[in-house]
Amino acid sequence: MNIKDAQKAVDDWINEHGVRYFNELTNMAQLTEEVGEVARIIARRYGEQSEKDSDKSKDLGEELADVVFVVLCLANQTGIDLQQALEKKMDLKAKRDHQRHQNNPKLK
């Protein structure tokens, strides 16, 4: 599924099951919460904090998908074609950052 199809799938789901989109500020708060859940898993599973037994069953992929879902909601409700925006960003990064990371001694 490409991003354009994902945006449509989210919009279809909202219209069929979700009644309506939460407002943008609520979705921003929701996004922050979901990113926090991703951060908790990363910090405990891959960082130096110990992982609680209750956290071991958490699915990082599912939590990342929650983040993507809310980002797609925000894009839909603000009229952003995220497929186009990402393609534009990747082109910009390829031009702007092509040598930047190649010459970074911290990445060697």
Side-chain angles (χ1 to χ4, degrees):
M1 175 182 308
N2 64 34
I3 295 173
K4 190 174 288 291
D5 291 341
Q7 278 189 253
K8 180 163 180 0
V10 166
D11 192 59
D12 289 347
W13 186 91
I14 293 291
N15 289 311
E16 283 183 40
H17 306 285
V19 180
R20 65 172 178 79
Y21 285 93
F22 294 135
N23 69 43
E24 295 84 355
L25 289 174
T26 299
N27 271 336
M28 187 63 231
Q30 186 71 30
L31 178 59
T32 302
E33 180 181 328
E34 298 299 349
V35 169
E37 291 176 16
V38 169
R40 181 181 179 93
I41 292 171
I42 296 289
R44 285 164 173 73
R45 198 163 295 164
Y46 303 100
E48 295 174 338
Q49 290 184 316
S50 60
E51 189 171 28
K52 295 179 181 178
D53 286 339
S54 61
D55 289 337
K56 289 181 180 177
S57 65
K58 303 269 182 178
D59 182 340
L60 179 58
E62 184 177 331
E63 298 304 333
L64 287 168
D66 287 341
V67 169
V68 171
F69 184 89
V70 179
V71 167
L72 293 170
C73 286
L74 283 165
N76 284 347
Q77 67 194 130
T78 57
I80 303 296
D81 178 336
L82 206 51
Q83 180 82 40
Q84 181 182 26
L86 182 60
E87 288 170 4
K88 183 178 175 183
K89 177 56 69 176
M90 293 306 296
D91 186 52
L92 174 70
K93 289 183 79 54
K95 291 175 183 166
R96 180 189 67 195
D97 297 336
H98 177 68
Q99 290 298 317
R100 176 177 165 213
H101 298 298
Q102 297 296 322
N103 298 324
N104 182 346
K106 295 178 186 177
L107 297 177
K108 301 227 183 227

